[in-house]
């Protein structure tokens, strides 16, 4: 028994020595590994990628690859005008089509022929009326008849203008082209001032020719002819009076401005009210003398109610103004072309 215990004690002591030796070896290995990693990090440093986020960026101008040369400019040199684009404004470019060159606004030989026939027809009426007055020595009646014709022509222009502004379309028989022109006039009112004379008046001149020429051939009464001559002449030229009402005072002939200020021709300020909401007043375009009375007495509103209850047709003036009534400027409505 005594011989076994010392032997076991020796074995236990050997195990302890071996365990301690292993611990030392592990410690040495760990220290060596740490030292190795430290040496590696010092010799081979790790690089980190850094991202920078900014709300604004600055672009640097690339360096010039060629030297900058300054060349003298001639005395009449004008620098090009920069074009600035904006979301709220329309850019005007040099290739915008000029309205003066628009073929639809220019007179043709057919337009001039109808204009000549219309003017000739009116002059025949006035000439026969004057001749009859000279032969009968009665000047008062033909002059009074002419004045009545002038007054009633303004009323007739207002009724006609009201009708084609509020009823029909481009497909309406006989009056379709006039309806389309007058309704489009609210969207592009400035085009009437760019139309050439015969282009603007030829449709009315054609109507006057067909209506008045038979009267000239069949009637010899100076009073009737005086009325017909003045009335038809004012109706035919009403579109020219209308054009002058859209003109600029500084660009109109002084005589026209004087007649407008005197109330003989429809004034610019009076007709301007027709192109403002609610677009249902100031329809007369010869002298405008009837506008105040017709608007105050609501004659056209009464006619609209009659048409509505009789035929079930609503006039355009009852609807809220939409894009058809909204005026466009010249640069917005003319597309660019080469």
């Amino acid at each position: 028994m005594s011989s076994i215990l010392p032997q076991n004690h020796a074995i236990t002591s050997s195990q302890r020595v071996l365990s301690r030796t292993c611990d030392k070896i592990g410690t040495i290995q760990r220290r060596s590994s740490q030292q190795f990693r430290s040496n590696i990090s010092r010799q081979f440093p790790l690089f980190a990628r850094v991202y920078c986020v900014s709300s604004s960026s600055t672009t640097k101008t690339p360096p010039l690859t060629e030297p900058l040369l300054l060349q003298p400019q001639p005395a009449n040199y004008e620098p090009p005008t920069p074009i600035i684009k904006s979301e709220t404004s329309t850019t005007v470019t040099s290739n915008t089509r000029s309205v003066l060159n628009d073929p639809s606004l220019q007179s043709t030989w057919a337009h001039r022929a109808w204009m000549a026939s219309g003017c000739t027809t009116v002059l025949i009426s006035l000439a026969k009326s004057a001749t009859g007055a000279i032969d009968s020595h009665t000047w008062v009646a033909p002059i009074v008849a002419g004045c009545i014709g002038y007054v009633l022509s303004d009323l007739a222009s207002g009724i006609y203008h009201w009708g084609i502004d509020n009823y029909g379309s481009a497909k309406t028989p006989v009056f379709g082209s006039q309806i389309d022109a007058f309704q489009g006039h609210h969207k592009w009112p400035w085009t009437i001032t760019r139309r050439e004379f015969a282009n603007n008046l030829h449709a009315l001149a054609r109507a006057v020719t067909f209506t008045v020429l038979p009267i000239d051939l069949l009637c010899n009464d100076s009073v009737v002819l005086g009325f017909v001559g003045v009335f038809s002449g004012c109706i035919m030229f009403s579109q020219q009076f209308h054009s002058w009402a859209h003109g600029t005072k500084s660009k109109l002939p002084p005589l026209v401005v004087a007649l407008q200020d005197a109330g003989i021709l429809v004034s610019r300020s009076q007709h301007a009210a027709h192109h403002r909401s609610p677009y249902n007043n100031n329809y007369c375009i010869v002298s405008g003398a009837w506008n105040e009375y017709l608007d105050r007495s609501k004659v056209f509103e009464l006619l609209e109610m009659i048409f509505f209850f009789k035929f079930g047709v609503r006039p355009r003036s009852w609807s809220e103004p939409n894009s058809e009534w909204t005026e466009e400027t010249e640069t917005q409505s003319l597309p660019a072309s080469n």
Side-chain angles (χ1 to χ4, degrees):
M1 186 69 179
S2 59
S3 62
I4 295 174
L5 289 175
Q7 186 178 1
N8 291 337
H9 178 73
I11 293 173
T12 302
S13 300
S14 300
Q15 291 177 348
R16 289 178 180 174
V17 172
L18 181 60
S19 177
R20 290 174 183 172
T21 304
C22 290
D23 291 340
K24 289 181 180 180
I25 293 173
T27 301
I28 293 172
Q29 289 178 349
R30 286 195 297 273
R31 288 179 179 177
S32 300
S33 177
Q34 292 177 356
Q35 186 176 5
F36 176 76
R37 285 197 298 269
S38 178
N39 292 335
I40 290 296
S41 64
R42 284 195 298 268
Q43 295 178 7
F44 305 98
L46 299 178
F47 296 93
R49 182 174 296 178
V50 179
Y51 297 91
C52 180
V53 179
S54 176
S55 59
S56 62
S57 61
T58 303
T59 304
K60 294 184 179 180
T61 304
L64 295 175
T65 58
E66 297 180 359
L68 181 63
L69 299 178
L70 298 179
Q71 297 180 355
Q73 301 293 344
N76 58 352
Y77 172 76
E78 294 183 0
T81 303
I83 299 176
I84 302 175
K85 294 184 178 180
S86 173
E87 295 181 357
T88 58
S89 62
T90 304
T91 303
V92 180
T93 58
S94 59
N95 61 344
T96 299
R97 184 180 65 188
S98 174
V99 71
L100 297 177
N101 298 325
D102 189 348
S104 66
L105 304 179
Q106 296 176 353
S107 298
T108 64
W109 285 109
H111 296 163
R112 296 184 182 97
W114 282 117
M115 197 65 219
S117 67
C119 291
T120 301
T121 302
V122 170
L123 290 176
I124 290 174
S125 297
L126 296 177
K128 290 185 68 173
S129 177
T131 302
I134 292 173
D135 294 339
S136 62
H137 303 285
T138 55
W139 289 91
V140 176
I143 293 175
V144 172
C147 292
I148 294 174
Y150 162 75
V151 173
L152 292 183
S153 67
D154 186 57
L155 176 62
S157 72
I159 295 174
Y160 185 73
H161 190 180
W162 162 77
I164 61 180
D165 258 12
N166 288 282
Y167 300 100
S169 66
K171 299 180 180 180
T172 302
V174 181
F175 302 101
S177 59
Q178 284 284 295
I179 292 172
D180 186 48
F182 268 77
Q183 291 175 3
H185 173 67
H186 282 272
K187 198 171 186 65
W188 306 287
W190 45 267
T191 56
I192 194 172
T193 63
R194 311 302 203 272
R195 288 188 180 275
E196 293 185 354
F197 180 74
N199 181 290
N200 194 26
L201 304 182
H202 73 95
L204 291 173
R206 182 168 59 247
V208 166
T209 300
F210 287 122
T211 305
V212 177
L213 186 58
I215 299 175
D216 292 343
L217 297 176
L218 300 174
C219 181
N220 294 315
D221 190 328
S222 61
V223 176
V224 174
L225 292 172
F227 172 84
V228 170
V230 175
F231 179 87
S232 60
C234 290
I235 291 295
M236 184 174 64
F237 284 96
S238 63
Q239 272 294 82
Q240 187 59 46
F241 305 154
H242 186 191
S243 175
W244 286 335
H246 281 279
T248 305
K249 186 175 182 179
S250 60
K251 296 182 180 179
L252 292 175
L255 178 60
V256 172
V257 175
L259 293 174
Q260 289 177 339
D261 293 341
I264 298 175
L265 298 180
V266 61
S267 65
R268 300 175 306 281
S269 59
Q270 187 182 64
H271 185 67
H274 176 70
H275 287 271
R276 293 194 295 265
S277 181
Y279 308 100
N280 61 355
N281 51 51
N282 291 278
Y283 287 105
C284 301
I285 56 175
V286 174
S287 65
W290 284 88
N291 282 328
E292 184 178 357
Y293 170 76
L294 294 173
D295 296 339
R296 186 177 64 250
S297 59
K298 301 186 183 302
V299 171
F300 292 125
E301 292 184 16
L302 176 61
L303 292 175
E304 290 166 358
M305 294 296 293
I306 294 174
F307 272 66
F308 177 71
F309 286 109
K310 183 68 175 179
F311 305 105
V313 180
R314 293 172 60 90
R316 288 184 180 82
S317 60
W318 288 9
S319 304
E320 290 293 329
N322 53 25
S323 60
E324 294 181 358
W325 298 97
T326 305
E327 179 179 343
E328 289 188 0
T329 60
E330 180 176 348
T331 55
Q332 289 175 334
S333 57
L334 289 180
S337 61
N338 295 328

